[in-house]
Structures are given as structure tokens and as C-alpha cells.
Amino acid sequence: RFGGAGGSVAGGPARVYAAIPLLDVVGDFPYAWDNGTRNNPADDETRVRQNDEIRQGDAVVRAALALAPTRELQLSLSGLGRRQGLAGFGTHLDPEARLTTLRGIASLTYTGRDDLGPAGRLQVQAYTIVSEQQFWDPPGILSYKPADTDDRTTTFGATVRAARAATPWLKLAGIADGRVETFQPTERRDGVEMTGAPSSRLFGSAGAEADAWWERPRLGVIPSLRWEGARDVHSGRTSFRELLPAGEPLFYSALLERLGLLQRATPALTFKANVGRYARQPSFLELYGDSGFVEGDPNLRPERAVNGDVGASVRLENARGALAIDGALFGAAVSDLIQFQQDAYGRSHPENVGRARILGVEASADGRLGPHGRLVAQATFTDARDTSDNTGSRGRQLPLRPRFRAYVRPEARAVAVGPVRAGVYADADVTGGNYIDAANFNQLPARLLFGAGATVEWPRAGLRVTASLQNIGNSSISDVTGLPLPGRALFVTLAGDTSRSEERIHP
């Protein structure tokens, strides 16, 4: 069940928007259970998923105050509360495990146009994020040992962005960002609460970008340079739920360069290319995650890579319709790639892959035929290989990275039928070549899913009814081993809008 309400009000220089959506999921769907023996169908049976419920509430408030015609102050507040059961993986089913998540986000943003001169833009943002996660697993089925934890993550940061036109053909932009993150683990055992050593990250970065355009060759050149630096202190816990002491400070520094090229060969044909270096520190989820599904590793190293892409886009349009086609080749050579892998209990662990090579091609099409017809399609082929010295995985496909994915959705929109407007769609989603382990011993079956839906809207009354049917063939599917997804599912949504009818008809 899902329900929500939102509203906005504007008066003078101020605007306010607020919304509260609520979600309740029982999650008791039937699924194919193989008793942990994929190659022996004799012991398979159909079971009903247990301890799989979710209850979630969100709230968001956004307010904007115009300080002048070209200056605005924005305040954003949002919160989330979710309590869910953790059903477990495969044969390791857990009837009691629970995960509770509380999160609050607040930001204050100043935006000024022309503060840096004509066509200039200045934005200053301060933000904070507080997240608390409680994991409870008395029998210890998902966590090796009985677990009762309460982990808190806090972030305080500020970002400054500036941009202005230096000349009619050159735009300059800059960014500076700084933040402080902390992680505090807590374990409860036999009624005794133990607080672990806090982990922390002090992060800062600064970057600049130029956007130059030469009209005669119709060529755009976009070079950028960014420096990142951080000081980390790691603690966390072991797989056997032992709290770790704080380690010695670790320092991180990276200079990242990128060059982008754009050439408009004709008004309809554009070529694009990018090449550069990037680096990424492991996130706090990857370092300290402890949710039953994910178990972090505080010993992860930052990943670094050289990557690039080259592609083209075509835009065609006439009185009957329009068609946009995009295609690109991409590749990356990565050191210490942070890659999730499942263990025998089904939990996902991040690991560093010494070296990896990723190559691929992607294409998309977005078409419009007349006032009502629409087609969206996309496909991606990825060849992601482990090129490290590990003899068990060298040359193998990286796990949880499907080799092929494609999606297509034709639809008819806003067809007038008396006082209402109707629309219908059908879609297909195909995935193949997905492994769950580094040695490629366990491959997820390829899958083809079909869906369909319809919408009926009564604009003047502000009412809309939408129905969608997913996984029409009722296929037994999962994204990872031991975590089944629902089969055939029907969703029906009724929405009402109390704004004035002319705003809905002519937004």
C-alpha cells in the first residue's frame, strides 16, 4: 500500500512545498526455492516469502525566498524512517532479523545570478546529513553471531560553485567543496552497550573548468582540473562483530584531469569524446556497512582509473515526428576497483580488484510519431574483466555486471476520448551474462521480462488512474543469488490534483 499528499503555496517573494508519502509492504509473495542445490531440481518447491515486510514514511519541506530579482535563498528539509524485516538468503532464512533506518537531511542554498558579472552565477550551499541504522538479528543467521547494533553516520559540509562568461566564446567555472564525516558503531550484548571508536573523514576538493566554443569549426573544448584530498581514521568492526580500535590516519590525494570535445558536424549530427583520470575513495557504506545485506570492509583502498568514451548523436525532426539516436563506445582501466561480491551466506562484501579493464558500447533511441506515439529504447553491452594477478579470477567477467542489458517501451500518450485523455504502453527488459562470483562458477539465468500499462486522466477534475502490470510471464527472477524478486505484479494508482484546471491542462 502506498499513499501520500503534497501541497504548495506561494505568496509574494516566498514559496513553500511539503509532501508526506507513506509505504507499507507485506512482501509475502510465492517464489521458487531450490534448497540451496541449483543443480538438483528434485528438492525444489514453491515457498512464500516470510519476514519481508517494509514500513516507511518520508517527509520533505522545501522553501524558497526571493531576496532580489536575481537572488534566491532555498531551504530543504527531508526525513525518512523505515523498518523492514530481513528474510535472509537461500537456505539461510531468518524469521526474526530486522533493520531500522532513520535519516535526516537539511540544506541551505544561496543562488545569485549576475553576482559575478553579466551571465555569471554563484551558488553557496551548506548541508548536513544524519543517518542512524539499527540491525537486530538475535539468532545470528545473517550476522554469524547474534547482532544488536546501532550505528550513526553524520556529515557536515559546504560547497561553493561559481561560473561566468569571460568572453563570448569562453565560459569559466569553479567549485570548492569541504565536508566532515563521522561514523560511530555501537554493539549491545547481554544488556551491555559497547560504543566503538569513531571513524572520521575530513575531505576537501577544488576544481576549475573552461568551456570554449569556436564557431567556424563548430567545435567545443572543455578541459577541467580537480584536486581532492582527505584524512581518514578507520575503525568499524570485524565479521565476527568485534569492535576495532581507531587506526592511524590515512591520507589521500588525487589530481584529476579531464578533456571533453564536442563537434557539431551538422545541425542534426554531433560528435562527442571524453578522456580523463578519476579516483574514488570508498564510501562509508563500503567501509562500515552492517545491514544484513551488506558487510563493509574498513581496509578498502581508493580506486583509480583512466577512462574515456567517444560517441555520436543524431537528431531528426519534421512535421510528422522526431527521432533522437545516441551511441557511444566507452572504456576504463581501473586499479583497486571496489567491487561487491556475495559470500556463501548471500551477503555482499566490497573487495579491491587489483586491476580491471572495462569496455562497452551503449545506444539509445527516443522517438515521437505524431502527437501521441512515443518510443524509448536503450541497450548496453559491457565486457568487464579482472586483469589482476589472481589466478582464480584473472580474465573472468567481473561479478554483478551484466554483459548485456536492453529495454524498449512503445506507448501512446494523451489520446483524447471525450473529456478524458488515455494512454497505453508495453515494455520489455532483457538481461544476460551476469555472474555472482569472481571465478564465474555461478551465473544468473538470462531473463526477459514483459510489462504493460494504461493511464486514464480527467484533466478538469484533476483525477488520474494508472494501472501497470509487471513481469507478465510470472518469471522466477532475482538480481543476486538467494534474494528472489516478486513474480507477476499489478499496481493501480489513483491521484488527485487540486490546482486550478487551467494549470493542469496548460502547465
Side-chain angles (χ1 to χ4, degrees), residues 2-84:
F2 172 81
S8 61
V9 61
R15 308 187 309 274
V16 178
Y17 168 81
I20 301 178
L22 302 173
L23 174 69
D24 181 77
V25 179
V26 178
D28 57 345
F29 56 88
Y31 70 101
W33 186 70
D34 63 6
N35 195 29
T37 56
R38 296 179 59 192
N39 298 321
N40 178 20
D43 59 359
D44 294 359
E45 61 181 91
T46 298
R47 288 193 170 187
V48 175
R49 198 70 166 156
Q50 301 294 324
N51 191 31
D52 199 34
E53 70 278 0
I54 297 175
R55 288 189 174 183
Q56 177 175 307
D58 299 78
V60 59
V61 176
R62 292 196 293 267
L65 177 65
L67 305 177
T70 59
R71 296 182 176 92
E72 187 173 77
L73 195 63
Q74 297 178 342
L75 174 67
S76 177
L77 303 172
S78 64
L80 175 144
R82 178 172 61 233
R83 179 179 172 85
Q84 62 189 102

Side-chain angles (χ1 to χ4, degrees), residues 404 429-434 443-449 475-477:
F404 181 78
D429 186 321
V430 60
T431 303
N434 194 10
Q443 182 178 10
L444 290 171
R447 72 189 195 197
L448 175 60
L449 305 179
S475 301
S476 297
I477 56 174

Side-chain angles (χ1 to χ4, degrees), residues 369-451:
L369 180 61
H372 306 299
R374 179 80 182 271
L375 173 69
V376 175
Q378 70 87 24
T380 303
F381 176 82
T382 305
D383 185 64
R385 300 283 176 175
D386 185 332
T387 57
S388 68
D389 296 329
N390 188 327
T391 56
S393 59
R394 180 176 175 82
R396 307 292 186 181
Q397 180 84 3
L398 293 173
L400 304 181
R401 293 176 182 258
R403 290 177 64 82
F404 181 78
R405 291 208 66 176
Y407 177 81
V408 61
R409 173 176 168 140
E411 63 179 312
R413 291 182 174 181
V415 178
V417 183
V420 304
R421 295 184 300 197
V424 295
Y425 79 89
D427 65 2
D429 186 321
V430 60
T431 303
N434 194 10
Y435 295 92
I436 65 169
D437 64 311
N440 291 179
F441 289 144
N442 297 301
Q443 182 178 10
L444 290 171
R447 72 189 195 197
L448 175 60
L449 305 179
F450 294 99

Side-chain angles (χ1 to χ4, degrees), residues 446-468:
R447 72 189 195 197
L448 175 60
L449 305 179
F450 294 99
T455 298
V456 177
E457 186 176 10
W458 187 7
R460 295 197 177 277
L463 296 176
R464 183 177 68 253
V465 177
T466 301
S468 59

Side-chain angles (χ1 to χ4, degrees), residues 316-323 367-374:
L316 304 174
E317 187 172 5
N318 58 30
R320 298 181 59 188
L323 177 64
R368 176 176 55 82
L369 180 61
H372 306 299
R374 179 80 182 271

